[in-house]
Amino acid sequence: MSSKMLKGMLAATLAGGLLAGTAQAYEAGDWLGRVGVWGVFPKSDNLNLGPGADLNVDDGYSLGFNFTYMATPNLGLELILALPFSHDVKLSGAGDVADTKHLPPTLFVQYHFMPQSNFRPYVGVGLNYTMFFDEGTKGALAGSKLKLKDSIGIAGQVGIDIDVAPNWFVNAEVSYMDIDSKAKVDGASIGTVEIDPWVVGLNVGMRF
């Protein structure tokens, strides 16, 4: 799935608000569950290895889901989970040289601005822990062993829930995650891969 398709789905999600019925106000003790398509979009030039030699981590897509506990009508605690994301790693002038998978569980504390409205925007701040695994090499690095260290960093988010039926809503969420991974090739350090992605999620949600 491309970023263009994600943008189209985002527009459709927001347009779903036109179908919203009676507002289902959030209350203390409510649980919210969301599931949908997520994209991870790393920044460019993730690691410089020398003049004209930059590593770049490609975008990744997967099925994501999260659970939010509403401590009060305005304050929520959200845990983000997902199926593994896969990324190709490119080296300037050499093409694909590696690939990896990761899981990015993230815990957010959220503030929901209008818990009694059909449109419920929110912001959050939290902590991300990213686990890397299944690192592989190819092309110019074929035969080498790549290791990416797990990452811990801060995260921020903005999102909105839009009612479409009693206890059902659509959701759009954008997060920024500070993800930096120390990389080794054949046991030797090559530096820190600064991934620092934007994460976009387009979801269907349920209150229970």
Side-chain angles (χ1 to χ4, degrees), residues 6 21 39 124 172:
L6 268 177

Side-chain angles (χ1 to χ4, degrees), residues 109-139:
V109 176
Q110 299 174 327
Y111 184 81
H112 294 251
F113 293 97
M114 300 185 294
Q116 298 182 349
S117 172
N118 290 35
F119 296 79
R120 293 183 293 275
Y122 57 89
V123 296
V125 63
L127 189 66
N128 165 262
Y129 178 72
T130 297
M131 298 171 283
F132 294 94
F133 58 98
D134 285 354
E135 299 98 324
T137 57
K138 50 190 170 181

Side-chain angles (χ1 to χ4, degrees), residues 9-18 20 26 32-35 38 66 68 78 110-115 117-124 157-164 168-175 199-206:
M9 292 178 64
L10 176 60
T13 299
L14 296 177
L18 297 175
Y26 289 162
L32 314 174
R34 306 177 184 88
V35 61
W38 290 10
N66 60 45
T68 302
E78 178 180 283
Q110 299 174 327
Y111 184 81
H112 294 251
F113 293 97
M114 300 185 294
S117 172
N118 290 35
F119 296 79
R120 293 183 293 275
Y122 57 89
V123 296
Q157 70 174 178
V158 295
I160 186 169
D161 295 328
I162 304 172
D163 286 334
V164 293
W168 287 91
F169 54 90
V170 291
N171 165 268
E173 184 173 291
V174 178
S175 303
V199 181
V200 178
L202 305 173
N203 307 291
V204 174
M206 180 180 180

Side-chain angles (χ1 to χ4, degrees), residues 27-176:
E27 299 176 356
D30 282 350
W31 284 90
L32 314 174
R34 306 177 184 88
V35 61
V37 178
W38 290 10
V40 173
F41 306 100
K43 73 171 191 176
S44 301
D45 300 331
N46 307 113
L47 173 62
N48 180 262
L49 298 173
D54 292 318
L55 283 180
N56 287 281
V57 181
D58 279 353
D59 302 341
Y61 303 88
S62 188
L63 180 70
F65 42 96
N66 60 45
F67 302 94
T68 302
Y69 174 73
M70 300 302 298
T72 74
N74 295 99
L75 295 178
L77 188 65
E78 178 180 283
L79 176 63
I80 286 181
L81 301 168
L83 297 182
F85 291 87
S86 297
H87 299 270
D88 288 324
V89 181
K90 299 181 185 296
L91 176 63
S92 300
D96 290 349
V97 295
D99 54 55
T100 186
K101 295 180 180 178
H102 85 273
L103 287 171
T106 307
L107 186 65
F108 284 107
V109 176
Q110 299 174 327
Y111 184 81
H112 294 251
F113 293 97
M114 300 185 294
Q116 298 182 349
S117 172
N118 290 35
F119 296 79
R120 293 183 293 275
Y122 57 89
V123 296
V125 63
L127 189 66
N128 165 262
Y129 178 72
T130 297
M131 298 171 283
F132 294 94
F133 58 98
D134 285 354
E135 299 98 324
T137 57
K138 50 190 170 181
L141 291 181
S144 301
K145 183 178 181 181
L146 172 67
K147 177 61 179 176
L148 295 172
K149 188 175 181 180
D150 294 350
S151 167
I152 298 177
I154 60 172
Q157 70 174 178
V158 295
I160 186 169
D161 295 328
I162 304 172
D163 286 334
V164 293
N167 293 321
W168 287 91
F169 54 90
V170 291
N171 165 268
E173 184 173 291
V174 178
S175 303
Y176 173 80

